[in-house]
Amino acid sequence: MDKKSAFNFRIFIGVIIIGATVFLSFRYLLKGPPFIKVMAIGLVAGVSYLVIDHLIKKSKENKNE
C-alpha cells in the first residue's frame, strides 16, 4: 500500500473511532448524573485529541521518509 492510501485509511479509521465515541457517549453516558455527563464530554475530547495527534505524527513520519 502506498503512503497516500495508507494515510487515507488511517483517516477513515480515525473518523470511525471518533464517530463511535461520540455516538456512544451521547447515547448512553449523557443519560446519567451531571458528573457522568462531564466525563462523557471529556472522553470525546480526549479521544479526538489522541486520534488527531496520532494522525499528525504518522503524517510527519511519512514526510521524513
Side-chain angles (χ1 to χ4, degrees):
M1 188 182 309
D2 62 341
K3 292 179 184 180
K4 185 173 181 173
S5 297
F7 186 69
N8 286 339
F9 181 72
R10 284 189 186 108
I11 288 179
F12 180 71
I13 296 298
V15 167
I16 289 175
I17 291 171
I18 292 172
T21 304
V22 169
F23 174 75
L24 291 175
S25 67
F26 284 124
R27 173 90 178 184
Y28 299 109
L29 297 177
L30 290 182
K31 292 182 179 180
F35 179 71
I36 300 297
K37 291 178 184 179
V38 171
M39 287 181 59
I41 292 171
L43 175 71
V44 171
V47 168
S48 299
Y49 171 77
L50 290 175
V51 168
I52 292 170
D53 186 50
H54 177 72
L55 288 173
I56 290 172
K57 284 182 184 178
K58 287 293 182 179
S59 173
K60 287 182 181 179
E61 286 177 10
N62 287 341
K63 284 183 181 180
N64 290 337
E65 291 177 358

